[in-house]
């Protein structure tokens, strides 16, 4: 997997949900007992954790901000951080699969 494929997966998710307003984020995700916002925040945390691992830094919690409408921006930031760290192909592939799975659930 390449950085371009991860960027594309994040962009596809962004196009799907980037226009959502707060009430849509509060709905339960398909096949989950988590809301769409909770599911997205979980994805963001997993990507941030992988970025920290690749950088050799400690994992830190990603804050859950006051509105879920910023979740896509948070995802873009942590994905860019991961790519800047130069992750191995298997990490990129795992993140692409995770982004795709979350996208399908939303």
């Amino acid at each position: 997997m390449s950085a371009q494929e991860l960027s594309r997966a994040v962009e596809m998710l962004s196009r799907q949900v980037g226009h959502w307003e707060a009430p849509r984020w509060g709905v339960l995700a398909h096949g989950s007992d988590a809301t769409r916002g909770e599911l997205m925040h979980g994805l963001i945390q997993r990507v941030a954790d992988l970025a920290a691992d690749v950088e050799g830094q400690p994992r830190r919690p990603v804050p859950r901000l006051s509105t879920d409408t910023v979740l896509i921006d948070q995802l873009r930031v942590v994905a860019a951080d991961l790519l800047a760290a130069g992750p191995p192909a298997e990490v990129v592939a795992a993140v692409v699969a995770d982004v795709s799975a979350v996208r399908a659930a939303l």
Side-chain angles (χ1 to χ4, degrees), residues 1-105:
M1 280 281 152
S2 70
Q4 184 179 16
E5 289 168 300
L6 176 54
S7 296
R8 184 173 187 278
V10 169
E11 181 60 28
M12 288 173 61
L13 179 54
S14 175
R15 288 181 184 179
Q16 178 179 332
V17 302
H19 63 280
W20 285 5
E21 294 187 17
R24 288 186 81 173
W25 287 106
V27 174
L28 290 180
H30 298 289
S32 175
D33 59 352
T35 66
R36 292 167 168 171
E38 292 166 342
L39 194 66
M40 183 70 138
H41 186 263
L43 170 64
I44 292 163
Q45 185 64 63
R46 291 188 298 276
V47 175
D49 288 346
L50 288 171
D53 293 348
V54 170
E55 293 172 342
Q57 297 294 321
R59 291 180 172 190
R60 296 178 188 94
V62 175
R64 185 76 188 263
L65 301 176
S66 61
T67 180
D68 288 340
T69 58
V70 298
L71 287 168
I72 198 64
D73 292 328
Q74 283 185 302
L75 178 60
R76 286 182 180 131
V77 169
V78 297
D81 288 346
L82 175 63
L83 290 175
E90 59 271 9
V91 170
V92 175
V95 173
V96 169
D98 199 0
V99 169
S100 297
V102 168
R103 183 172 175 244

